[in-house]
Amino acid sequence: MGLIAPYRRPYAGTQPEYLHAPYVSTVKRAPTRPLVAIPQTLSEVTGPHFGKDDIVQGAFDLTKQHAGEPLGERIVVSGRVLDEDGRPMPHTLVEIWQCNAAGRYLHKRDQHNAPLDPNFTGQGHTMTDEQGRYRFVTIRPGEYPWANHYNAWRPAHIHFSLFGPAFATRIITQMYFPGDPLLPFDPIYNCTADVAARERLISRFDWETTIPQEALGYEFDVILLGRDATPTEEPKRR
Amino acid sequence: MRSLATTWQTVGPYFRIGMERLMVADIAGEGVEGQRIRVQVRVLDGDDVPIPDAVLEVWQANSHGKYAHPEDTQDKPLEQRFRGYGRIGTDDDGWLRFDTVKPGPVPGPGDVDQAPHLVVGLMMRGLLKRLVTRMYFPGEVLNQTDPILMLVEGARRKTLVARAGVEDVKVLTWEIHMQGKDETVFFEL
């Protein structure tokens, strides 16, 4: 197989550490020993591929999964999936999940005293096109309280899950909304040291994808780890 | 100009809403070749309390040691019905189970064969980004020379090797300890 070209390691400070004490659940779940650095092998530069058969047609529209329309403000969330060198990532699966407009998840463990919406599940998925573009139609998720600390509220967010070309490029993240007053107080949003990296999790309001009389548009690009062209024995960035 | 990869965020406690659809606990469907195994995994936190809201992803080669991926150019048979991907959530007692076939060895650095292994990604509430680890198989001769296991200090290698069942050796048990004296080895890619 010859030498393997590894995916890059993330740039310093742009990913969270495992232990972030203000997010209380990390305290008993973050590893305490240093991670063991390993070279990427065939096992890590390959990864699962998904195709049309894995996609339910229409699953990009979370407002049309039930008999009626969900309550809340309709929005369009769209963007591109690229690698660090700006190359589009075509035909990659994008999965999202979110709470409803009242800030309630359709999940047995969510005991928040806000109503469920019989017309909203909060699950969507799609595949990027040739240019790495994706598009969802949904409703704007509500903010909701959580038990992390006194009077803790999560800013509005949508969970994103993507694979990219390899096991090494997997990412799960959360997309936020511009101007959310809760962002400065949220330990999950603030877990990443690099401020600019954090701010890239905030979507942009976008006129171009806003549909007149119908839905506001938000743009959110997801960048996957890039890859150096030349195979090396050791990963370059530490 | 180069951009930087998007920051990870936790899957949170409600990932099943979005991730349930592609949960796969039967990784090798009917007709897939190889030795059938069942793997049961328990995930425990720093107080040895079972973690009921973790999700594990598995990536593996088929029994011939071939990945269903275009970058695996080895001259080994592919199987149409084997993707090699699993996604399983823990239950209320921190257990998860999946069925698959034991993967064959794949080449590693310097073209030294790696011991059969499952590549594992672990996510949960309280984990701000994925943890990567591997599950190896008990009694494998190649475990003695596996180039990745060799990077792990000797005393900790056992955290990566599943136990064979006493009654049924095809049932493997593997504990993932997030912390403590048996803390599982996690990798940085």
Side-chain angles (χ1 to χ4, degrees):
Chain A
M1 294 291 293
L3 295 177
I4 300 276
Y7 288 89
R8 294 187 199 117
R9 288 191 169 156
Y11 204 78
T14 62
Q15 296 292 335
E17 300 296 328
Y18 289 102
L19 178 63
H20 181 65
Y23 176 23
V24 176
S25 301
T26 65
V27 174
K28 293 293 182 189
R29 295 182 170 195
T32 63
R33 312 262 200 131
L35 302 193
V36 175
I38 62 170
Q40 291 172 26
T41 74
L42 190 60
S43 302
E44 290 80 23
V45 301
T46 54
H49 275 205
F50 299 92
K52 283 203 180 82
D53 292 348
D54 298 304
I55 297 292
V56 175
Q57 286 305 309
F60 73 92
D61 190 341
L62 287 74
T63 69
K64 297 218 161 62
Q65 296 177 354
H66 298 273
E69 288 208 62
L71 293 171
E73 179 191 346
R74 269 188 307 267
I75 58 173
V76 172
V77 177
S78 62
R80 295 181 80 192
V81 183
L82 307 162
D83 75 3
E84 290 181 314
D85 300 302
R87 283 185 287 252
M89 296 283 117
H91 314 302
T92 200
L93 178 68
V94 184
E95 300 170 284
I96 65 167
W97 65 97
Q98 63 169 90
C99 63
N100 67 23
R104 177 84 186 264
Y105 284 94
L106 183 57
H107 191 288
K108 65 177 181 185
R109 286 209 180 85
D110 187 359
Q111 298 301 313
H112 175 35
N113 179 23
L116 285 169
D117 184 339
N119 291 313
F120 192 71
T121 301
Q123 183 270 132
H125 61 268
T126 190
M127 201 78 102
T128 59
D129 69 10
E130 286 298 330
Q131 282 82 40
R133 280 192 285 261
Y134 74 87
R135 180 176 179 271
F136 290 103
V137 179
T138 184
I139 50 100
R140 188 184 168 112
E143 298 83 359
Y144 59 87
W146 60 312
N148 189 69
H149 55 274
Y150 173 69
N151 213 2
W153 291 76
R154 294 279 351 259
H157 62 275
I158 298 176
H159 296 263
F160 273 70
S161 160
L162 296 93
F163 289 84
F167 179 81
T169 57
R170 181 93 170 95
I171 180 168
I172 296 180
T173 189
Q174 300 180 24
M175 182 204 96
Y176 298 92
F177 290 87
D180 193 320
L182 294 170
L183 284 170
F185 307 100
D186 181 49
I188 294 179
Y189 171 73
N190 289 289
C191 69
T192 303
D194 188 289
V195 176
R198 230 184 267 171
E199 288 175 347
R200 286 193 292 271
L201 298 179
I202 303 173
S203 56
R204 285 190 319 111
F205 167 67
D206 181 39
W207 276 118
E208 261 187 64
T209 51
T210 292
I211 310 170
Q213 313 294 329
E214 182 76 17
L216 291 183
Y218 289 90
E219 190 183 34
F220 180 61
D221 291 341
V222 179
I223 312 297
L224 307 180
L225 284 172
R227 192 180 200 186
D228 294 314
T230 322
T232 51
E233 281 284 11
E234 292 295 322
K236 275 181 180 160
R237 194 196 291 160
R238 285 192 180 261
Chain B
M1 204 193 90
R2 178 181 293 181
S3 21
L4 298 176
T6 302
T7 296
W8 268 79
Q9 295 269 273
T10 181
V11 285
Y14 309 125
F15 59 81
R16 279 187 185 271
I17 296 169
M19 295 179 74
E20 184 86 53
R21 199 184 67 89
L22 279 186
M23 290 277 182
V24 179
D26 187 6
I27 297 175
E30 233 175 273
V32 173
E33 293 170 39
Q35 185 195 330
R36 301 264 149 189
I37 52 168
R38 163 160 289 194
V39 182
Q40 36 190 36
V41 181
R42 196 162 206 212
V43 188
L44 300 160
D45 77 5
D47 292 329
D48 276 343
V49 173
I51 295 180
D53 52 4
V55 55
L56 189 107
E57 288 184 330
V58 174
W59 170 240
Q60 68 164 98
N62 67 17
S63 61
H64 306 287
K66 171 95 173 168
Y67 285 105
H69 188 280
E71 282 195 37
D72 186 339
T73 56
Q74 299 177 90
D75 186 20
K76 293 175 178 174
L78 261 181
E79 288 172 276
Q80 286 303 319
R81 306 166 76 149
F82 185 74
R83 174 146 59 193
Y85 172 72
R87 175 193 281 179
I88 319 95
T90 52
D91 64 19
D92 287 345
D93 297 314
W95 283 104
L96 63 89
R97 290 167 190 82
F98 58 92
D99 296 321
T100 187
V101 291
K102 184 176 164 182
V106 298
D111 273 339
V112 174
D113 263 352
Q114 303 189 57
H117 63 274
L118 307 177
V119 174
V120 169
L122 181 65
M123 284 84 69
M124 65 184 77
R125 171 177 65 84
L127 262 193
L128 286 159
K129 56 182 173 180
R130 175 177 69 167
L131 276 169
V132 171
T133 184
R134 288 180 168 203
M135 194 200 89
Y136 285 86
F137 293 81
E140 275 298 323
V141 178
L142 283 171
N143 287 352
Q144 307 304 317
T145 52
D146 180 85
I148 300 302
L149 272 180
M150 292 307 108
L151 296 172
V152 177
E153 61 176 287
R156 296 191 69 205
R157 286 179 201 156
K158 64 177 190 300
T159 69
L160 300 175
V161 184
R163 287 195 312 273
V166 178
E167 286 169 26
D168 185 350
V169 292
K170 293 187 198 69
V171 177
L172 301 170
T173 304
W174 184 41
E175 277 161 16
I176 298 178
H177 294 265
M178 306 307 294
Q179 301 177 351
K181 66 175 171 47
D182 299 319
E183 182 173 321
T184 301
V185 170
F186 298 107
F187 294 121
E188 179 183 15
L189 299 183

